[in-house]
C-alpha cells in the first residue's frame, strides 16, 4: 500500500506514522522461517556440546528463544541484530508492500540498507530496553539533514505490555541532538547511544502499539525508545531502513558510476576532501532494492544480498559522541 495524502502529512508533521495492516502477515513467514532455521542450528550445536539439554523445538516461535535463554544465554546473541542474511530476511527487506510504503516518502529510486536490526525482546531482559535515541545519532553527519526511513515491523502483536516503541513526536525538525555513549552492557556486549534527559528535545511521549501486519514508520531524527517487555512472550521485531538513491550510498554500481570510486565508500582525495565518506552508515553495506531508471542494478535475490554483505569492507563511522 502507498500512503495517502493525510498519512503523508501526519508523517511529515509528527515524524512517525503507525500503519495498521501495512502488509499481509504471510509476508513475515519467510523471515520467521529463516530465524527458526538459525535457532534450530545453534540449538542443535549447543545440545551436542552439552550446553543445552534439548532444542526446545516443540516451543512456539513466541516463546522458544526465551525458554532456551533461561538455560543457555549465548544463543540469543547469535541471532540478534543483522547476523542473518539469507532468503527470509531478504524477502522481507525487499517486500513489495514495504517498498510501496517507502516509495511514498523517499521516492522511486530506493536504497535498502543492510543495517537492519532483528530484535527478539525477551521478557524482562535488560538488553531489550533501548534508551531514547535518534537513528541519526548512529549515522554520518553528512546525512543529518536527509531522510532515512525506518520501517519497524513486529512479528507478533506489539502491545504496550510487550514493550512497543515510544516516540517523541513533532521534534524531528529540530535536527540531531547530543547523544551519550553508554558503557558496554552485560558481559561487554554492544552498548547503546542515549539522549540524556537534559538533552531530550521534547516532553510529549506517545506509545505506538501495532498488531502483527502493521508497521511503524520513523524518520532518522525522531527520538524513540523501546520499553520493557512485561509479558510472557518474546516481542519479535525487525527494523528496516530505506533511503533515496540520491543520498550517499556505498552500493558499488551507483557510486562507481557517479563518482569514480572503488565502491568502498571513499571518494578520490581532493574531490570531497581526503577519504570523504560517501555513505550514511559506513560499517554496513547498502543495496539497490527498487529502481525505474536502473532496473538492471536492482538486487533481486538473497544470494546477491548475501554476497554484497559478505564482500563489504566496513569503514569506521565518524566519532561524534564521546
Amino acid at each position: 500500500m502507498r500512503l495517502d495524502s493525510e498519512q503523508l502529512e501526519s508523517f511529515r508533521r509528527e515524524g512517525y506514522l503507525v500503519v495498521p495492516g501495512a502488509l499481509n502477515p504471510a509476508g513475515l513467514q519467510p523471515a520467521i522461517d529463516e530465524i527458526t532455521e538459525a535457532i534450530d542450528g545453534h540449538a542443535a550445536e549447543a545440545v551436542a556440546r552439552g550446553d543445552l539439554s534439548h532444542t526446545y523445538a516443540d516451543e512456539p516461535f513466541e516463546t522458544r528463544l526465551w525458554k532456551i535463554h533461561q538455560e543457555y544465554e549465548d544463543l540469543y546473541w547469535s541471532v540478534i541484530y543483522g547476523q542473518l542474511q539469507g532468503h527470509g530476511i531478504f524477502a522481507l527487506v525487499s517486500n513489495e508492500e514495504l517498498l510501496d510504503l517507502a516509495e511514498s516518502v523517499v521516492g522511486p529510486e530506493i536504497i535498502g540498507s543492510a543495517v537492519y536490526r532483528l530484535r527478539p525482546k525477551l521478557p524482562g531482559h535488560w538488553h531489550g530496553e533501548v534508551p531514547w535515541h535518534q537513528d541519526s545519532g548512529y549515522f554520518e553527519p553528512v546525512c543529518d539533514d536527509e531522510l532515512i526511513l525506518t520501517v519497524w515491523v513486529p512479528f507478533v502483536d506489539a502491545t504496550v505490555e510487550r514493550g512497543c516503541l515510544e516516540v517523541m513526536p513533532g521534534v524531528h525538525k529540530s535536527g540531531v541532538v547530543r547523544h551519550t555513549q553508554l558503557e558496554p552492557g552485560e558481559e561487554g556486549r554492544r552498548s547503546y547511544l542515549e539522549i540524556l534527559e537534559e538533552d531530550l528535545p521534547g516532553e510529549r511521549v506517545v506509545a505506538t502499539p501495532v498488531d502483527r501486519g502493521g508497521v511503524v514508520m520513523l524518520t532518522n531524527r525522531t527520538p524513540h525508545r523501546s520499553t520493557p517487555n512485561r509479558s510472557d512472550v518474546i516481542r519479535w521485531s525487525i527494523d528496516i531502513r530505506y533511503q533515496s538513491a540520491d543520498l550517499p550510498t556505498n552500493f558499488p554500481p551507483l557510486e562507481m558510476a557517479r563518482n569514480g570510486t572503488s565502491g568502498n565508500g571513499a571518494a578520490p582525495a581532493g574531490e570531497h576532501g581526503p577519504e570523504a565518506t560517501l555513505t550514511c552508515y559506513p560499517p554496513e553495506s547498502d543495496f539497490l532494492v527498487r529502481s525505474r531508471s536502473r532496473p538492471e542494478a536492482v538486487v533481486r535475490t538473497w544470494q546477491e544480498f548475501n554476497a554484497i554483505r559478505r564482500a563489504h569492507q566496513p569503514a569506521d563511522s565518524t566519532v561524534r559522541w564521546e
Side-chain angles (χ1 to χ4, degrees):
M1 64 178 290
R2 284 179 166 79
L3 300 183
D4 60 31
S5 58
E6 184 176 341
Q7 290 172 313
L8 275 171
E9 172 58 28
S10 178
F11 176 76
R12 290 166 179 159
R13 181 183 66 250
E14 302 292 341
Y16 82 99
L17 184 70
V18 178
V19 188
L23 71 163
N24 186 330
L28 301 170
Q29 196 58 48
I32 292 173
D33 290 344
E34 182 177 350
I35 295 165
T36 299
E37 290 169 11
I39 294 174
D40 285 342
H42 289 301
E45 292 171 0
V47 170
R49 292 192 303 269
D51 294 326
L52 188 64
S53 62
H54 62 290
T55 65
Y56 293 86
D58 293 336
E59 286 287 333
F61 179 70
E62 293 81 0
T63 59
R64 184 185 183 190
L65 186 59
W66 174 228
K67 296 289 187 179
I68 291 172
H69 188 77
Q70 293 175 75
E71 183 180 344
Y72 177 62
E73 296 186 359
D74 284 0
L75 199 149
Y76 168 83
W77 303 103
S78 301
V79 297
I80 63 169
Y81 296 141
Q83 300 182 65
L84 306 182
Q85 50 196 34
H87 62 96
I89 296 298
F90 178 73
L92 186 55
V93 299
S94 61
N95 180 287
E96 293 295 329
E97 292 176 300
L98 294 185
L99 295 182
D100 285 345
L101 287 177
E103 183 171 334
S104 298
V105 297
V106 305
E109 305 294 313
I110 306 175
I111 288 288
S113 173
V115 59
Y116 79 84
R117 290 292 179 256
L118 181 64
R119 304 185 190 277
K121 181 184 284 194
L122 305 179
H125 191 241
W126 66 272
H127 190 256
E129 300 176 39
V130 181
W132 283 114
H133 68 284
Q134 297 163 300
D135 287 342
S136 278
Y138 292 92
F139 299 158
E140 288 297 301
V142 68
C143 297
D144 281 356
D145 295 329
E146 309 295 349
L147 173 60
I148 303 170
L149 173 69
T150 292
V151 181
W152 189 87
V153 185
F155 293 103
V156 300
D157 292 350
T159 63
V160 171
E161 182 188 22
R162 292 176 178 176
C164 67
L165 289 183
E166 289 187 345
V167 302
M168 194 167 284
V171 299
H172 58 294
K173 297 177 183 178
S174 301
V176 182
V177 301
R178 183 175 63 178
H179 287 63
T180 297
Q181 180 74 59
L182 299 182
E183 292 299 319
E186 187 174 294
E187 299 180 3
R189 304 294 184 179
R190 176 180 178 271
S191 63
Y192 292 119
L193 294 176
E194 179 180 14
I195 304 173
L196 299 180
E197 185 175 358
E198 59 266 27
D199 295 317
L200 287 172
E203 296 181 354
R204 186 163 68 102
V205 175
V206 176
T208 63
V210 61
D211 289 346
R212 185 174 185 266
V215 304
V216 182
M217 300 173 65
L218 303 167
T219 81
N220 43 302
R221 294 181 298 276
T222 302
H224 58 286
R225 68 178 174 183
S226 183
T227 54
N229 181 357
R230 305 186 189 283
S231 75
D232 57 1
V233 302
I234 303 166
R235 194 224 63 190
W236 281 99
S237 67
I238 187 171
D239 39 279
I240 305 168
R241 291 171 181 85
Y242 303 106
Q243 66 181 57
S244 167
D246 291 332
L247 301 187
T249 176
N250 59 27
F251 183 56
L254 291 175
E255 282 307 315
M256 292 173 71
R258 291 175 179 170
N259 301 298
T261 72
S262 61
N264 63 2
E271 183 178 345
H272 300 287
E275 293 297 294
T277 299
L278 289 179
T279 181
C280 293
Y281 190 70
E284 299 194 44
S285 54
D286 298 332
F287 63 105
L288 188 65
V289 69
R290 174 177 283 186
S291 174
R292 293 189 179 91
S293 66
R294 291 173 55 88
E296 75 284 354
V298 171
V299 175
R300 300 190 183 278
T301 69
W302 72 265
Q303 290 91 344
E304 293 174 310
F305 173 71
N306 188 305
I308 288 170
R309 297 196 73 203
R310 290 182 180 276
H312 178 65
Q313 297 296 314
D316 291 335
S317 296
T318 301
V319 177
R320 303 182 66 176
W321 322 109
E322 299 295 341

